[in-house]
Structure formats: C-alpha cells, structure tokens
Amino acid sequence: MAHLFSIALLTALLSSTATAKEYEKHTALMDHGNGHLMDMNGGMVMGQNTDTLPGGCDKIKATKEITVHAGHKYAEKFPGRMWAFDRQEFKFEPCTQLTVHFVNDDHIRHQWMMHGLPKYLYPHGMFHLEVSGPAQISGTLILPPGDQTYLVHCDMAGHMEKGLKAQLKVGKGSGDLPSIPGITANLIEDNYNEAMPTVLLAKTAAPVNVASSEEPLISGTLLTGIVIGLLLTSYLTRKFKGMSVAEIIAYIFQHLTTLCRFLFKQLAFLIKLILPNKISV
C-alpha cells in the first residue's frame, strides 16, 4: 500500500513539474546609458532612474515595490477584452522611489509602459518595461511631485485596445482616465445588439462603348503627312534627275545657306525694332 502511494505521489509531482510554466528572469541587463537597459533575450527597460530626484522633490519620501502581472487570464472578468493587468489602478505618494516587477504570463510580448513623466528626466516622458513571456523583468523610477494620474498600458499593437490598460495615481491624482477596465466606462462601447448596416448596391452604370473611345487606325494628321511626303518625293525625284551625288549635295548646301541668310536678316530686323537705337556722342 505504501509502495502504491509513493508511486502515485511521484507521478503527481512529475506531472505538475511538466505542466508548470518556466519563467525567465531578466536580471543581467546591459546598461546602454540614459536609463536604457536590455539583454539579448528580449528584455528591455527604458527610463530607469534609481537616484535622480525630479524637480520639486527634495528627498525620496517612500520606497515601494510592486509586482504586476499581465496576461490573457486576467481579462476573463472583463467581457470583450483579450488581455489585462492583474491590477488596473496604483496609488503612491509623490517622490516615491518605485520598483516595478513586471511578470508576463503569456507566450507573447507585453509591456508595462507609463506616460506623462517629465521629459527632462525620462526620455520621451515614459518609463517602460518590456519582455517576451513567460518572463519577469524589473525596473525602478522616482515619481514626480504633485497630484497627477498617469496612463499605464501596453503599447504593442492592439493590446491596450483589448484591455492592457491601467492608471497610476500620484498623491490624490488628477481624476480617472477613460476606458480603464473595471474602473471607468469605455469611450466607445461594444454593441452586439445593433443590426448590421444594410449594404446599398450601386445602380448599374450604362455600358461604355469602348470601340467609340479608341482612336482610328489612320488619323487625319497621319494621312496628311503621307500625302505631303509622296508629293515631295515626286518633286525631288524630278528635280535631282540626272544629277550626281556631289551636285545634289552642293544644291542642298546652297539652298540651306540662302535660308540661313534669310533667317539671319529677319532676326536682325527684329532686334532693331526691339532694342533702342544707339546714340552717338
């Protein structure tokens, strides 16, 4: 009996180990400067700040750590959503040094991104944790002074729209942001009851006579050119009949010279008309 119990217990332990998720912890991040940390396995931190105080903070007033999960299973309580954080709202005192341990429970990439921070301290005004799951990554920032509500979301395409959105309130906050799952109503509600719009069929257009729009094979211009070419060929044939090649070239050169002189005289006449006469002193 004890032997059978041992076998059953060992089988249960092996099966639970085989089905458990293995979370990769991104702890050996390379510092690329300006608060940008990353590794070669897809982990990234942007806006890391552990010691520089924001303007208006004379000291770090509190030190806090939170663990935030992101995944599909956290969206089950929000109909119509695909992903969600395990928490949709965070509250902290101003000038708090906050360390966020971000856990991505899915086998895709998620982010924990916070917007609206002072840009002189946080590049692009954001603090950003990003990792491909299942995995965990951590980062630290110092919250600014004052009462303000900051947007927290995942910036991967479509993830925020499908539920990965939260708000972080510093002090009393500055109100609630719209479309925070479980906290505020969506700006655009999903409506599954309204009938689909009727598609109006366009009236059938009159058929276009393609043949009438095409150009004729022989146009008037082409026909005129052919006639002129035939007449000119007949004239030149009679004109050059009995002449040698040298005589033909000399004849053409003579007439070209005469034409050039005529054009030059006409050009000189036009110049005299346009330009004022020179006054002799």
Side-chain angles (χ1 to χ4, degrees):
M1 184 68 180
H3 181 66
L4 294 176
F5 178 77
S6 299
I7 294 175
L9 181 61
L10 180 60
T11 303
L13 289 174
L14 290 175
S15 62
S16 63
T17 303
T19 57
K21 285 185 179 180
E22 294 184 4
Y23 286 81
E24 180 180 2
K25 292 188 177 182
H26 295 259
T27 55
L29 300 173
M30 296 176 287
D31 189 349
H32 293 268
N34 204 24
H36 183 195
L37 312 175
M38 64 183 300
D39 61 17
M40 300 300 293
N41 296 323
M44 183 185 301
V45 179
M46 295 181 68
Q48 172 91 341
N49 175 28
T50 59
D51 51 13
T52 304
L53 293 173
C57 294
D58 54 359
K59 65 177 182 179
I60 295 176
K61 294 186 178 180
T63 301
K64 299 290 184 180
E65 292 190 27
I66 57 172
T67 299
V68 184
H69 289 257
H72 172 66
K73 65 181 180 181
Y74 305 108
E76 294 178 356
K77 58 183 177 180
F78 305 120
R81 299 295 171 258
M82 186 67 184
W83 303 285
F85 297 115
D86 61 338
R87 295 172 58 185
Q88 281 65 49
E89 186 174 68
F90 310 90
K91 294 181 179 180
F92 299 100
E93 296 180 41
C95 305
T96 293
Q97 184 191 64
L98 176 63
T99 298
V100 181
H101 304 292
F102 178 53
V103 182
N104 180 359
D105 291 331
D106 290 338
H107 289 268
I108 59 174
R109 199 163 183 81
H110 285 317
Q111 300 171 339
W112 195 89
M113 182 183 291
M114 182 176 172
H115 285 279
L117 296 168
K119 293 183 179 180
Y120 64 84
L121 187 56
Y122 298 96
H124 306 293
M126 69 179 186
F127 173 74
H128 175 147
L129 301 174
E130 181 175 343
V131 69
S132 296
Q136 175 179 326
I137 193 167
S138 302
T140 301
L141 77 158
I142 300 176
L143 299 175
D147 298 322
Q148 185 66 38
T149 302
Y150 296 92
L151 170 66
V152 176
H153 74 123
C154 176
D155 199 38
M156 304 302 292
H159 287 203
M160 180 178 71
E161 292 79 3
K162 298 305 293 182
L164 269 177
K165 186 177 182 181
Q167 62 184 15
L168 188 149
K169 290 185 176 181
V170 175
K172 297 179 181 179
S174 55
D176 292 326
L177 301 177
S179 304
I180 303 297
I183 296 178
T184 54
N186 295 326
L187 286 177
I188 302 176
E189 291 288 351
D190 296 330
N191 188 349
Y192 301 100
N193 298 321
E194 186 176 350
M196 295 294 291
T198 304
V199 179
L200 299 178
L201 298 177
K203 294 182 179 180
T204 305
V208 179
N209 188 355
V210 179
S212 63
S213 62
E214 295 180 354
E215 293 186 359
L217 184 61
I218 300 178
S219 64
T221 304
L222 178 60
L223 185 59
T224 303
I226 292 174
V227 173
I228 294 175
L230 291 174
L231 294 176
L232 188 59
T233 301
S234 177
Y235 169 77
L236 293 177
T237 301
R238 292 195 303 269
K239 185 69 177 178
F240 296 145
K241 186 177 181 180
M243 297 175 63
S244 64
V245 175
E247 291 174 336
I248 293 173
I249 294 175
Y251 178 84
I252 294 174
F253 181 76
Q254 179 183 357
H255 281 75
L256 287 176
T257 303
T258 303
L259 179 62
C260 290
R261 287 176 180 174
F262 173 77
L263 293 176
F264 180 76
K265 288 181 180 180
Q266 298 301 318
L267 181 61
F269 177 74
L270 291 175
I271 292 175
K272 287 182 179 180
L273 291 177
I274 296 173
L275 298 179
N277 296 328
K278 294 183 179 180
I279 302 175
S280 301
V281 180

